[in-house]
Amino acid sequence: MPTSLGCFKDDKALRILSSYYHIFKGNNSPERCAYMCLQSGYPYAGTEYSVECFCGMEEPPFTKRLPDSSCNMKCSGNPKQSCGGYLTINVYWTGIQKFKPQEAKNSSLKNESEQPARIAYLLTVNGRASRQVKRLINILYHPSHLFYIHVDARQDYLYREMLKVERSCKLNNIKVARGEGLRYASIWGGASLLTTLLKSAQQMLTHHNHWDFLVNLSESDFPVKSNNELTEFLSWNKGMNFVKSHGREVQRFITKQGLDKTFVECETRMWRVGDRKLPDGIQIDGGSDWIALSRDFVEYVANPSPDPIVSSLLKLFKYTLLPAESFFHTVLRNSRFCNTYIDNNLHVTNWKRKLGCKCQYKAVVDWCGCSPNDFKLEDFDRIQNTADRNLFFARKFEPVIDQRIVDKVEEWLYPDKINKSRAIKAEGYDMYWQSLYNHADLSPLPDDALLTLSYSLTRLAFQKLKMNYKDSRLLENTAYFRENRFAGILILAENKDKSSDTSALPNDRVRRIEALVHVRHNFSTDGYWLGKIRSLAVSTDYDQKEQTFRNLISSIGPYSNPVLAYEFDRDIAVPQNISILWIDPQGRLADINHILLEEMTLVGHVKPQLNEQLTVGTWRLLLLADTLLVTKLNFLVIPLSYWKTKRIDPKKFKEIIDGPSAVYHVTEEMNKKWSNLVRSAMRNDEQNEHGQNRIIDVGNDIDDYIDKLVYEHYDIVEICDADDKSRTKMKLQKCTEIHWSSLSPDSKAETRNLCQNY
């Protein structure tokens, strides 16, 4: 219950309690007002004019004290109690003290011989960026630190890669979460992420390596200060806890964060099920889920038999969206550790909310949320500006978006590596590889269009070598980047060469290759517009925030949702009206988009309104400036040879080939307006003679039909020998000796000798 301090004189221009104000029209009372102020972290609450509630940090001056009878208006929520009057206010102490975060120390008077702080890194990783995770471990590694790696339970590929890292370290200080109850599917905003952090912390506490701080990082984090600087700073601040608060008024934070709603996690989705009232007597805080916590606090909060306050908060946050962004903050504020709270999570984060990420997670949560942007090379100044601040990590970094910034940061931190880095560029320093599919993956299931395309490219690669391709087997599909640009698709595959000597051992007859594949340049531009279009592409999985496609190899199937992304040169005359005509493989106008090019809209994307099932074959886009045809672009909607990752059955394949039954929404008037231009543009198009409507013999002919389409859009550029045996009949260069191969050396992600270097 709040403690009454009496009735006081208030002033419109200079409020006694000026930190926060709220109106409770029908339910104001001293208790209601005080609990709300306490929840927001204010020591003082005041009721005024029956319905008003004020919160403040400072106790009202005694000189403003009035007789209790001056506060004579009844409370709107309880007529038996008084709630101030006209410019008179009943003031109460909420029961808490004024809170002020601690300041971090940047030096120490203690004995310099004291043992440096040891860090336990909790890496919660997702996706397929295994080489970037290895690079992160490489730059952070020290034998005194512990690395505990939690891989999302749905990510088979990354899990296998991290187990290799664990096995490579004989010092036993790199551990991967494994076993029942220790791996979780960590969806964005999910309650399972908090469970992951706490369960992982419990495992880390049992490890024989003693540590002083737990620091959690993801695959998108990277240090912006050296290991020595971080260790020295944490050594000065042992026992402190680093969390970043939201920086706004608490009630606004609660509403924006959805803390006043009940969420339930089910089938890897957060479902909002209704409103709720937060418990009275608890200060709510939160902000970022990236933290650096002291061992004492971790032992307290991760105790399998927690004290009542932790136990109660665990029940509350089990049904909370983004619980990891508030749980640790709230426990700190309401426990004996409140004096160890430092408002700094040691991170700098790249937020550019204007790029359209407000509700990017609608597919997995019933709420709006946004993630940070990736740092790019042009953002390096922001990172350099952290040099004199207590910031040690930055996020997000993705080599598929920009690897140059990662290289730049690492060279900035460790200048002695610059010359070495330049010397070993032949070992993949200016390259990056990211697996898109691996045959051993059980989860997540690959996209059927990706699988169909990858197997077709496998057959085409063996065909090019004039080898048996009918029994070929796809092993892995990898996206290859060079000098920060997507440079092709790599197909790792094997087959049994039936032409081999039958007396040879069976294993010797298996031939492994890797092929470098380019997407063919399937667009043409009018002479005047040459150079004015910087990029033009159709694919799926467009990331509006990063303004790029996540579907790097443009595997578009009949059930995909294609998007056109464009970038025009800044020298183009604006404003400019552009019309985009989508033409299906049968020459029918499927949709028309219109864009107005202006100085601020030279980069963008458009989504056509097409049928739920797309006609398979080669589609065409015509770009017109007013009515003048300036560009033609072709893209492939591939028929599927796989359906739900299994070999497709003839009935389903026929359904796909027959195409959609629904007609397009294009009006007769629009068809009439553009029909002559469409016919003229396609008259000499040889691909139109391909016979999109020819009858396909369902069976072996499926693959041949698909391969002919794929050949028109993809080019097998080079092939190397991926056989790890010294004896081979193939007169190909070894993949381990060729720069583009995923099997060639990659010094950035090499972890085999990591622990042996100490």
Side-chain angles (χ1 to χ4, degrees):
M1 290 290 291
T3 302
S4 175
L5 300 181
C7 179
F8 291 81
K9 178 69 176 173
D10 206 359
D11 189 297
K12 274 188 178 182
L14 193 63
R15 293 288 183 180
I16 279 185
L17 302 178
S18 59
S19 298
Y20 185 69
Y21 168 71
H22 187 78
I23 293 179
F24 291 110
K25 286 186 178 179
N27 56 355
N28 198 24
S29 70
E31 292 80 12
R32 178 72 183 247
C33 180
Y35 283 137
M36 185 197 69
C37 293
L38 185 153
Q39 186 181 79
S40 300
Y42 298 115
Y44 301 100
T47 56
E48 187 169 331
Y49 204 61
S50 178
V51 296
E52 296 177 326
C53 173
F54 293 85
C55 306
M57 283 294 185
E58 306 298 335
E59 184 175 357
F62 182 76
T63 55
K64 297 282 187 177
R65 187 76 161 82
L66 296 173
D68 290 346
S69 58
S70 299
C71 293
N72 51 21
M73 293 186 73
K74 295 177 180 178
C75 298
S76 62
N78 186 350
K80 294 182 179 179
Q81 294 177 300
S82 63
C83 281
Y86 178 71
L87 291 182
T88 61
I89 182 171
N90 285 107
V91 178
Y92 301 86
W93 177 51
T94 63
I96 62 174
Q97 300 300 319
K98 183 178 179 180
F99 175 77
K100 185 179 179 182
Q102 302 298 306
E103 295 291 332
K105 297 176 183 176
N106 284 292
S107 63
S108 176
L109 299 175
K110 294 182 180 178
N111 189 338
E112 292 185 3
S113 63
E114 184 184 353
Q115 189 174 16
R118 286 164 291 187
I119 304 166
Y121 288 104
L122 170 54
L123 305 184
T124 52
V125 296
N126 203 338
R128 305 186 72 88
S130 63
R131 296 185 189 228
Q132 179 62 16
V133 177
K134 292 174 185 176
R135 185 173 190 175
L136 175 63
I137 295 171
N138 254 324
I139 198 170
L140 292 175
Y141 186 81
H142 190 274
S144 66
H145 300 330
L146 170 66
F147 294 81
Y148 188 84
I149 307 172
H150 176 277
V151 183
D152 186 293
R154 299 162 295 179
Q155 301 292 337
D156 287 349
Y157 168 77
L158 194 56
Y159 180 61
R160 293 193 307 273
E161 291 295 304
M162 292 304 103
L163 287 176
K164 292 177 189 175
V165 176
E166 180 189 83
R167 289 194 293 269
S168 71
C169 187
K170 305 303 180 187
L171 295 181
N172 203 32
N173 65 328
I174 299 179
K175 306 299 292 182
V176 177
R178 54 159 67 83
E180 189 175 351
L182 294 178
R183 282 186 71 199
Y184 298 88
S186 48
I187 62 169
W188 183 89
S192 56
L193 182 55
L194 177 59
T195 306
T196 298
L197 294 174
L198 292 173
K199 289 288 185 182
S200 299
Q202 290 172 0
Q203 294 296 306
M204 296 164 79
L205 286 167
T206 63
H207 196 268
H208 62 80
N209 275 37
H210 181 82
W211 47 267
D212 302 294
F213 285 93
L214 185 154
V215 176
N216 71 323
L217 300 172
S218 76
E219 71 282 352
S220 303
D221 293 87
F222 208 71
V224 292
K225 285 191 175 64
S226 69
N227 264 326
N228 289 341
E229 289 175 293
L230 175 62
T231 301
E232 185 178 50
F233 175 78
L234 291 178
S235 299
W236 296 332
N237 291 279
K238 283 185 178 179
M240 306 308 286
N241 290 282
F242 297 86
V243 294
K244 183 62 181 172
S245 190
H246 48 82
R248 56 170 64 93
E249 206 290 315
V250 172
Q251 296 303 314
R252 182 170 164 238
F253 172 74
I254 289 172
T255 302
K256 187 176 184 299
Q257 199 82 349
L259 291 173
D260 53 353
K261 314 292 181 188
T262 298
F263 287 84
V264 175
E265 183 172 346
C266 180
E267 296 180 345
T268 60
R269 183 185 178 93
M270 290 296 285
W271 304 88
R272 180 163 57 113
V273 297
D275 297 338
R276 71 176 180 184
K277 181 180 179 297
L278 293 171
D280 293 330
I282 293 292
Q283 298 177 64
I284 298 295
D285 193 15
S288 170
D289 53 355
W290 305 105
I291 50 182
L293 304 177
S294 68
R295 185 185 182 98
D296 285 348
F297 181 66
V298 174
E299 288 176 342
Y300 171 73
V301 81
N303 191 325
S305 301
D307 75 7
I309 189 167
V310 175
S311 178
S312 298
L313 288 173
L314 283 171
K315 291 176 184 175
L316 173 70
F317 282 97
K318 183 179 180 181
Y319 302 103
T320 299
L321 181 69
L322 296 161
E325 293 189 1
S326 296
F327 174 76
F328 298 104
H329 302 65
T330 301
V331 174
L332 276 170
R333 290 287 296 271
N334 293 276
S335 68
R336 68 176 187 269
F337 293 92
C338 59
N339 291 326
T340 66
Y341 184 119
I342 294 179
D343 188 8
N344 175 9
N345 66 350
L346 312 183
H347 269 72
V348 58
T349 306
N350 190 24
W351 288 106
K352 295 179 182 175
R353 298 179 191 271
K354 290 182 180 179
L355 286 177
C357 59
K358 185 178 180 182
C359 292
Q360 69 182 98
Y361 295 106
K362 278 291 189 180
V364 292
V365 316
D366 291 337
W367 200 252
C368 280
C370 180
S371 286
N373 288 76
D374 291 326
F375 278 103
K376 298 179 182 177
L377 187 60
E378 57 262 33
D379 300 312
F380 184 60
D381 284 350
R382 285 191 59 202
I383 292 174
Q384 282 185 304
N385 290 338
T386 66
D388 297 326
R389 300 167 62 194
N390 293 331
L391 297 170
F392 296 83
F393 301 95
R395 65 187 318 268
K396 299 169 47 180
F397 295 91
E398 283 188 279
V400 296
I401 301 297
D402 196 333
Q403 181 176 282
R404 298 168 302 174
I405 183 65
V406 185
D407 298 339
K408 188 80 172 174
V409 171
E410 185 168 3
E411 292 175 359
W412 179 55
L413 294 181
Y414 299 99
D416 58 314
K417 287 187 176 183
I418 294 177
N419 292 332
K420 182 181 177 183
S421 300
R422 289 172 180 161
I424 60 176
K425 277 191 177 181
E427 295 186 4
Y429 195 79
D430 60 348
M431 301 173 198
Y432 180 70
W433 295 263
Q434 188 153 304
S435 173
L436 303 177
Y437 166 81
N438 188 288
H439 72 99
D441 294 347
L442 297 176
S443 174
L445 294 176
D447 175 70
D448 290 320
L450 170 65
L451 207 54
T452 297
L453 175 60
S454 300
Y455 265 99
S456 178
L457 293 171
T458 298
R459 293 189 296 270
L460 290 172
F462 281 113
Q463 272 185 275
K464 185 165 185 173
L465 293 173
K466 296 182 171 54
M467 294 176 64
N468 167 46
Y469 63 90
K470 292 293 185 183
D471 298 323
S472 57
R473 180 184 178 220
L474 171 67
L475 299 176
E476 190 162 17
N477 183 331
T478 303
Y480 166 56
F481 295 79
R482 186 173 188 183
E483 296 178 347
N484 211 50
R485 292 180 179 273
F486 175 60
I489 308 154
L490 304 182
I491 298 292
L492 182 66
E494 67 180 18
N495 84 338
K496 290 194 174 181
D497 186 357
K498 294 181 179 178
S499 64
S500 298
D501 182 0
T502 54
S503 64
L505 293 172
N507 285 344
D508 287 341
R509 295 202 304 269
V510 176
R511 298 297 179 228
R512 295 174 74 237
I513 63 166
E514 189 166 45
L516 171 63
V517 183
H518 286 171
V519 181
R520 292 188 189 273
H521 187 76
N522 282 332
F523 76 89
S524 57
T525 304
D526 173 81
Y528 174 78
W529 283 73
L530 200 62
K532 297 190 186 317
I533 303 176
R534 299 186 66 177
S535 67
L536 198 66
V538 175
S539 190
T540 63
D541 302 329
Y542 184 75
D543 184 340
Q544 186 175 341
K545 187 159 55 74
E546 298 302 335
Q547 298 181 322
T548 190
F549 287 110
R550 294 294 179 171
N551 180 355
L552 293 164
I553 66 173
S554 302
S555 50
I556 305 172
Y559 303 100
S560 301
N561 297 300
V563 172
L564 170 69
Y566 58 84
E567 181 178 358
F568 290 87
D569 192 84
R570 294 196 174 276
D571 292 336
I572 195 171
V574 291
Q576 189 95 232
N577 288 300
I578 302 291
S579 298
I580 303 159
L581 278 57
W582 297 75
I583 303 167
D584 78 3
Q586 296 179 15
R588 298 175 297 183
L589 185 59
D591 195 18
I592 303 173
N593 296 120
H594 300 283
I595 55 176
L596 175 61
L597 289 184
E598 296 182 302
E599 191 174 336
M600 302 302 292
T601 59
L602 296 176
V603 179
H605 70 286
V606 293
K607 296 179 181 179
Q609 185 179 341
L610 303 174
N611 294 331
E612 289 185 6
Q613 181 183 337
L614 303 175
T615 303
V616 298
T618 299
W619 283 64
R620 296 152 186 88
L621 260 67
L622 306 182
L623 268 68
L624 300 99
D626 293 322
T627 58
L628 177 68
L629 178 63
V630 296
T631 297
K632 288 198 296 185
L633 170 69
N634 295 342
F635 69 93
L636 175 64
V637 174
I638 193 169
L640 300 179
S641 57
Y642 286 85
W643 179 248
K644 297 182 178 178
T645 72
K646 305 295 183 186
R647 187 69 180 175
I648 199 166
D649 65 69
K651 183 179 178 182
K652 185 64 183 178
F653 183 75
K654 186 175 185 307
E655 177 188 316
I656 288 171
I657 291 296
D658 289 345
S661 57
V663 296
Y664 298 115
H665 75 284
V666 177
T667 65
E668 186 177 342
E669 183 181 344
M670 292 163 69
N671 261 317
K672 199 171 186 180
K673 177 181 178 181
W674 299 107
S675 58
N676 289 336
L677 189 144
V678 170
R679 280 197 298 269
S680 173
M682 298 178 64
R683 191 170 293 130
N684 298 320
D685 192 339
E686 291 181 0
Q687 292 186 12
N688 195 40
E689 304 295 325
H690 187 269
Q692 302 287 349
N693 296 315
R694 74 181 179 90
I695 297 173
I696 305 302
D697 293 329
V698 177
N700 291 333
D701 200 29
I702 291 177
D703 290 344
D704 291 339
Y705 171 62
I706 291 173
D707 292 350
K708 286 175 183 175
L709 283 171
V710 170
Y711 180 78
E712 293 171 1
H713 293 267
Y714 295 85
D715 183 24
I716 310 291
V717 180
E718 285 188 71
I719 302 175
C720 63
D721 180 4
D723 203 323
D724 56 2
K725 302 175 181 63
S726 58
R727 183 168 60 85
T728 177
K729 288 186 175 182
M730 292 188 291
K731 295 179 180 179
L732 297 171
Q733 190 172 354
K734 285 284 186 182
C735 291
T736 52
E737 300 169 357
I738 200 162
H739 66 85
W740 52 259
S741 174
S742 65
L743 304 177
S744 62
D746 182 6
S747 57
K748 307 181 302 300
E750 182 55 68
T751 57
R752 281 178 295 182
N753 299 317
L754 183 65
C755 302
Q756 284 84 342
N757 292 335
Y758 290 89

